[in-house]
Amino acid sequence: MSSIPSLESLHAMGAAQQPTYPDRAALGAAVDRLRTMPPLVFAGECDDLTDKLAAVTRGEAFLLQGGDCAETLAGVTADNVRNKLRVLLQMSVVLTYAASVPVVKVGRLAGQYAKPRSKDTETRTMPDGQSVTLPAYRGDAVNGFDFTPESRTPDPQRLVDVYNASAATLNLVRAFTTGGYADLRQVHTWNTDFVRSSPAGQRYEAVANEIERALEFIRAIGADPEEFHRVDFHSSHEALVLEYEHAMTRIDSRTEQPYDVSGHFVWIGERTRQLDGAHVELLSRIRNPIGVKLGPTTTADDALALAAKLNPDNTPGRLTFITRFGAGKIRDGLPQIVEKVTAEGVQVAWVCDPMHGNTFEASSGYKTRRLEDVVEEVQGFFDVHRSLGTWPGGLHVELTGDDVTECVGGGEDLLEMDLHNRYESVCDPRLNRVQSLELAFLVAEMLRKA
Ligand code: PEP
Ligand code: MN
């Protein structure tokens, strides 16, 4: 039986990327409150996801993981949650249909509220010419996006607020995915007017028509299409703020094992994957399926050491490596890692995050990404795995169900000068609906050949 390390012992390890809370008493009160809150997910659901990710590890399924870079408290509206779910369902239909591979669906949602930052502070020049330095925005779990001292001061009450926001989000997602909205027979209704008029949307219509015909056939031969009423959907986020993840880590009464019940799948970010660090320690103790982001500085030995610490029993489905090298680096950097990890017999699902290695600043100052670079990294990922005989197990993307203008390129040819039109992300740029659907068609094509 594995035990839960104390919060103090985790902090004593010198945890990276943690907020500095000025009000320690308020922090203690918020953590005490969180410890009494019900689980957001059940341990048995986490085990189900581990089983599904074991199929991904064996090369029998594909993971689609996507959502905002950073969720916001203000973003918890019915429309916003539905739109995100809808684009993920559409992408999943395209991938399943075009490649005949089961798709494991995981949202970056209902908990994705904390962000690692490259700097602790942010400095801006104010209209009066004064230079002002404040704590960096670390996500709505920690502080506010507004650039004022009040908003940027880490506030522990936010940990309770994001718990509540996650509960509301997950409740709606559960209603949508079990109550009929995600029924495969609704495949046409997920395509809305805006998308329908784009080439990717029209292509989707054609797929939806074929699926509808297949469902009619299934009904005609007497099979039960009620099977298609529900869809399995899981939540995920980066496990970053130790107070939150620790308070939500509980001993499961069935198995007497610790689970982080704040989400089904939690991952360790590129900046917190130190082998002797607090995040690796905490996640090594929980039984959820977990991920680790691997950037271009990762060595094969780093990956092996992480696998040994995080998955000592080598259980398939327990560990996912999410590689995020950048389009220009993946073909050179990824092979040695995959080769050595595979040669050692390590069981791991390989997933491509084609977003975080491809961010740049547009001349207008907006942080952006080119859809072409995103596609190029996914292509590199597929090529590397194909040449090594390993399975390109999934896609991890930042996207939204809305028509934002945050990433450039794609069929609609969004330009850098268009970015100001609807740039809404509080952190990294996300693919909009049409770009997401375009990516799904391109990845389906790659998957068909994998
Ligand atoms: C993210 O997923 O938003 C993120 C910060 O990624 P990474 O840890 O890979 O930089
Ligand atoms: Mn991000």
Side-chain angles (χ1 to χ4, degrees), residues 253-335:
S253 58
R254 291 169 322 152
T255 58
E256 296 187 15
Q257 296 287 331
Y259 284 77
D260 181 345
V261 291
S262 68
H264 295 112
F265 177 102
V266 284
W267 76 85
I268 301 169
E270 166 71 358
R271 296 167 184 80
T272 49
R273 62 174 167 78
Q274 301 80 11
L275 196 60
D276 54 359
H279 296 85
V280 170
E281 181 62 28
L282 178 60
L283 268 62
S284 76
R285 306 291 190 96
I286 60 170
R287 295 270 59 88
N288 306 53
I290 60 171
V292 187
K293 295 281 202 91
L294 300 181
T297 60
T298 316
T299 65
D301 287 337
D302 292 339
L304 285 175
L306 282 164
K309 167 117 191 174
L310 293 170
N311 191 16
D313 300 334
N314 209 18
T315 307
R318 152 75 175 165
L319 182 61
T320 296
F321 279 152
I322 306 164
T323 61
R324 31 89 88 219
F325 278 64
K329 293 188 176 156
I330 184 155
R331 289 168 193 275
D332 283 340
L334 185 60

Side-chain angles (χ1 to χ4, degrees), residues 22 50 103 124 142 167 187 214 217 223 235 237 256 258 341 387 419 421:
T50 299
V103 174
R124 288 192 195 171
V142 174
V187 65
F217 171 75
S235 65
H237 63 270
E256 296 187 15
V341 166
S387 74
L419 292 175
N421 285 335

Side-chain angles (χ1 to χ4, degrees), residues 69 108 115 356 369 398 428:
C69 176
R108 267 179 78 112
K115 300 309 300 172
H356 289 90
R369 294 160 173 154
E398 289 182 344
D428 291 336

Side-chain angles (χ1 to χ4, degrees), residues 187-221:
V187 65
H188 271 294
T189 63
W190 304 335
N191 214 12
T192 50
D193 290 343
F194 178 86
V195 178
R196 208 171 276 138
S197 58
S198 73
Q202 284 164 13
R203 213 168 150 192
Y204 176 83
E205 280 294 293
V207 170
N209 283 336
E210 290 185 37
I211 290 174
E212 214 158 54
R213 272 219 310 280
L215 290 177
E216 271 161 32
F217 171 75
I218 289 168
R219 193 164 36 233
I221 62 171

